Amino acid sequence: MSLVKLYDTTLRDGTQGEDISFLVEDKIRIAHKLDEVGINYIEGGWPGSNPKDIAFFKEIKKEKLSQAKIAAFGSTRRAKITPDKDQNIRTLIQAEPDAITIFGKTWDFHVREALRIPLEENLELIFDSLEYLKSRAPEVFYDAEHFFDGYKANPEYAIKTLKAAEQAKADCIILCDTNGGTMPFELAQIIKDVKKHIKTPLGIHTHNDSECAVANSLHAVEQGIVHVQGTINGFGERCGNANLCSIIPALRLKMGKECISAEQLRKLRDLSRFVYELANLSPDKHQPYVGNSAFAHKGGVHVSAIQRHAETYEHLRPELVGNTTRVLISDLSGRANILAKAEEFNINLDSKDPVTLDILDNIKDMENRGYQFEGAEASFELLMKRALGTHRKFFSVIGFRVIDEKRHEDQKPLSEATIMVKVGGKVEHTAAEGNGPVNALDNAIRKALEKFYPRLKEVKLLDYKVRVLPAGQGTASAIRVLIESGDKESRWGTVGVSDNIIDASYQALIDSIEYKLHKGEEGEAGKK
Ligand SMILES: CC(=O)SCCNC(=O)CCNC(=O)[C@H](O)C(C)(C)COP(=O)(O)OP(=O)(O)OC[C@H]1O[C@@H](n2cnc3c(N)ncnc32)[C@H](O)[C@@H]1OP(=O)(O)O
Ligand SMILES: CC(=O)C(=O)O
């Protein structure tokens, strides 16, 4: 296997993405995770940009990393001053990183329009800056900004800029597709041309504006590039950078390139989710390799086949990247989906059992009426238990009332719910206020039941989604409510559908509470 070095820029280019910002503490925690996963270089930020990035380089020195090197990022010197007088270059050295990466201009258009200096002077900026840094940092990398656009516009000049970096003895020259518009077939040919002129090891840094960042990075490796830059989850300026969560498994599992170990690869999904969490963003469920849907099978034909052999519909075993196969339930399901789900819930079901067909018919009918079980697996589990006769009725609701009242146009509306429930032989009648009618109803149901089932105190309502479903033939439009609840151990989704939003919410709330009570009972049974 040939070796490819991985260079992560989540903490620098990643933070140039809209909505992405990390505290110094977040950056330190992410650096540790990147180190554990075997990333060779972690670009921590641009110390010449802001105090937070300076603080990162100070703090990271106190940490013990197992193998990763820390890189600091900056630009070539400004025109008309020497590198020793350039504040940006000085802060790079003061940061005392293991490696320094500076970017410089390749594209004549940029030299004229962005820097507004003569082309020759830009070559001096590149050479001087790298030569100065080379004797002051253990390793020095050169990011050739806009390399591919520059090469297409003026190949001779673009190569001259790389030669300036080579003469200054940069340890690696990184070809950047800064605007992200290069196509994989163009990129491969340009790299072939570059290799005729440049002997310094080459790297790649691509952006995703044409959705080709990962493909371009992999093509670059095919062309002999040995250093790959990218970010976790593809965070980065505009449409983002090349996504290392896709590049790494492709390098190792599809291209036979040595980068991280099999054990480290199994931590990839955790790393992806950790970075989303610290960025305060919801994970992209459709993300290849590491997303929740990456190995989620919905079509009945697919589910039937993967149960015979997973590779029929999976390009690799999800466990290799720390993910798992999932089976989704919908009106596209067949018996195989139901059987797979039953197994997941430890329910014994046979494909010839008439109950299996009953469940399937019931689901198709309910989905036709607007239910959706993909995000409501707890409701589905209860539905199966009801069909099998293993569902326990912990309580019954005799009735409820919800009042929403606004007493004056300047006042906030008041929401109050009353509910009457029966548990065993006892009837409980309670009222509760809430922040809106659904919250009031949730509070009232729980208040009435917590007395009998104290474990309900652990349940929290985590998410609430409402969707207005279009009217079907002869039917009025309906409302679907999906609720996500959780306790300290797990999270579960439930669904309700009605032409009345309160009733739809009520169904989803009741399912959530019943699910928690069943879960607790099974837990207790397991302990006995
Ligand atoms: C392709 C990339 O992603 S490169 C990384 C981009 N990232 C960032 O810009 C984030 C961090 N940036 C910053 O904090 C600020 O822009 C700073 C501190 C670097 C500079 O701030 P300012 O001095 O106020 O300049 P400003 O941001 O307005 O303009 C950029 C300056 O850099 C100069 N510049 C741009 N590229 C280079 C280069 N490769 N070498 C030298 N100077 C450069 C521009 O000419 C301009 O200087 P000028 O206004 O004197 O002509
Ligand atoms: C250096 C860099 O971030 C770019 O060219 O995109």
Side-chain angles (χ1 to χ4, degrees), residues 9 12-13 16 43 73-74 101-104 142-147 174-180 205-207 229 237-238 241:
T9 176
R12 195 277 298 174
D13 210 333
Q16 288 176 221
E43 192 173 78
F73 180 84
T101 302
I102 57 166
F103 76 98
Y142 177 62
D143 276 359
E145 196 194 13
H146 296 109
F147 176 75
I174 295 95
L175 308 178
C176 301
D177 186 29
T178 307
N179 292 2
H205 173 115
T206 59
H207 278 262
Q229 299 195 354
E237 187 89 35
R238 302 182 309 280
N241 277 74

Side-chain angles (χ1 to χ4, degrees), residues 465-503:
K465 285 197 194 89
V466 179
R467 178 100 191 257
V468 179
L469 306 166
Q473 273 182 335
T475 56
S477 62
I479 306 234
R480 176 167 65 226
V481 168
L482 275 172
I483 284 180
E484 195 181 4
S485 313
D487 57 17
K488 50 187 186 311
E489 286 159 4
S490 60
R491 302 162 84 103
W492 57 93
T494 50
V495 62
V497 173
S498 170
D499 51 11
N500 176 314
I501 187 167
I502 302 289
D503 186 39

Side-chain angles (χ1 to χ4, degrees), residues 10 66 82 100 114 130 156 178 234 249 278 280 294 298 322 339 356 360 371 395 419 483 511:
T10 308
S66 66
T82 49
I100 290 178
L130 288 167
E156 201 187 322
T178 307
L278 293 205
N280 205 12
K298 185 164 167 185
L339 294 173
T356 309
L360 195 56
Y371 284 83
F395 61 92
I419 191 160
I483 284 180
D511 265 10

Side-chain angles (χ1 to χ4, degrees), residues 95-311:
E96 296 183 344
D98 304 309
I100 290 178
T101 302
I102 57 166
F103 76 98
K105 303 288 183 197
T106 322
W107 193 357
D108 54 359
F109 165 64
H110 250 267
V111 179
R112 287 195 196 98
E113 295 302 324
L115 294 186
R116 301 198 167 156
I117 57 172
L119 295 185
E120 271 307 310
E121 191 177 346
N122 178 48
L123 300 179
E124 289 164 17
L125 255 61
I126 298 169
F127 178 81
D128 292 354
S129 310
L130 288 167
E131 191 198 36
Y132 182 78
L133 289 171
K134 183 67 191 159
S135 56
R136 289 168 178 81
E139 276 182 289
V140 176
F141 300 142
Y142 177 62
D143 276 359
E145 196 194 13
H146 296 109
F147 176 75
F148 296 94
D149 293 319
Y151 187 87
K152 282 187 260 178
N154 185 344
E156 201 187 322
Y157 182 71
I159 294 292
K160 275 190 187 169
T161 66
L162 301 190
K163 282 205 184 292
E166 185 162 71
Q167 277 155 16
K169 301 207 166 26
D171 293 290
C172 183
I173 296 176
I174 295 95
L175 308 178
C176 301
D177 186 29
T178 307
N179 292 2
T182 305
M183 296 289 110
F185 44 89
E186 296 175 302
L187 172 133
Q189 185 54 49
I190 294 175
I191 296 174
K192 277 193 184 105
D193 295 349
V194 170
K195 290 181 82 181
K196 290 180 197 148
H197 304 278
I198 301 294
K199 298 298 160 227
T200 303
L202 295 175
I204 187 80
H205 173 115
T206 59
H207 278 262
N208 203 28
D209 304 67
S210 310
E211 195 80 329
C212 291
V214 170
N216 277 339
S217 305
L218 300 178
H219 270 283
V221 173
E222 271 292 288
Q223 295 305 321
I225 264 168
V226 292
H227 162 128
V228 177
Q229 299 195 354
T231 60
I232 301 304
N233 302 325
F235 292 172
E237 187 89 35
R238 302 182 309 280
C239 309
N241 277 74
N243 187 350
L244 284 177
C245 293
S246 299
I247 291 177
I248 296 172
L251 287 178
R252 213 197 125 95
L253 303 173
K254 294 172 189 284
M255 295 170 73
K257 298 287 173 189
E258 198 184 320
C259 45
I260 67 177
S261 70
E263 196 192 331
Q264 288 166 326
L265 192 61
R266 283 193 288 276
K267 296 181 180 166
L268 195 67
R269 180 179 145 89
D270 278 354
L271 171 67
S272 158
R273 296 184 88 80
F274 183 80
V275 173
Y276 274 122
E277 194 65 39
L278 293 205
N280 205 12
L281 293 177
S282 302
D284 171 5
K285 58 156 69 169
H286 301 290
Q287 195 169 319
Y289 298 99
V290 294
N292 266 357
S293 306
F295 300 93
H297 304 280
K298 185 164 167 185
V301 170
H302 294 221
V303 175
S304 155
I306 59 151
Q307 285 184 322
R308 290 168 192 170
H309 205 305
E311 282 173 23

